[in-house]
Amino acid sequence: GFLCEHGLGTKRNLGEAVRLYRAAGAQRDVKALARLGMCLEKGRGVVQSEAEAAASYTAASEFGGADALFASGVRHLDEFGKRSAPESFTLQLAVSDLALAARLEHA
């Protein structure tokens, strides 16, 4: 979903990103639920819905979302500049995960 949402390595397709986030969220994927919440909150690829965004953030939080996203963000920062992946992509993942962790912590 993240790659579709941001057009990284593929054509940007917000509708497909939301579809993928929903499918992964149904499998209790914390990142997918958090990113789905962000899409719903901002109306990115889907009709804006504060209620659905809140439900998605809550589900992510219940599955340990803030801690998992924070750890993932820190891991991406540690990898920044050390991977074969483009540095901007690694940094973008780190910032995204840390921002979502903060949002979940204060939801």
Side-chain angles (χ1 to χ4, degrees), residues 22-95:
R22 286 187 194 278
Q27 301 293 318
R28 296 184 172 195
D29 183 297
V30 171
K31 285 185 179 184
L33 286 166
R35 290 193 171 109
L36 175 61
M38 188 74 88
C39 288
L40 288 162
E41 181 180 358
K42 306 269 186 209
R44 293 173 53 102
V46 66
V47 174
Q48 185 176 12
S49 172
E50 291 289 329
E52 285 185 68
S56 190
Y57 288 140
T58 298
S61 293
E62 289 173 356
F63 302 133
D67 291 337
L69 286 164
F70 181 80
S72 178
V74 169
R75 181 176 52 82
H76 288 304
L77 282 177
D78 286 342
E79 293 175 0
F80 180 66
K82 297 178 187 177
R83 295 182 49 186
S84 59
E87 290 183 1
S88 62
F89 176 69
T90 304
L91 185 59
Q92 190 172 6
L93 285 172
V95 170

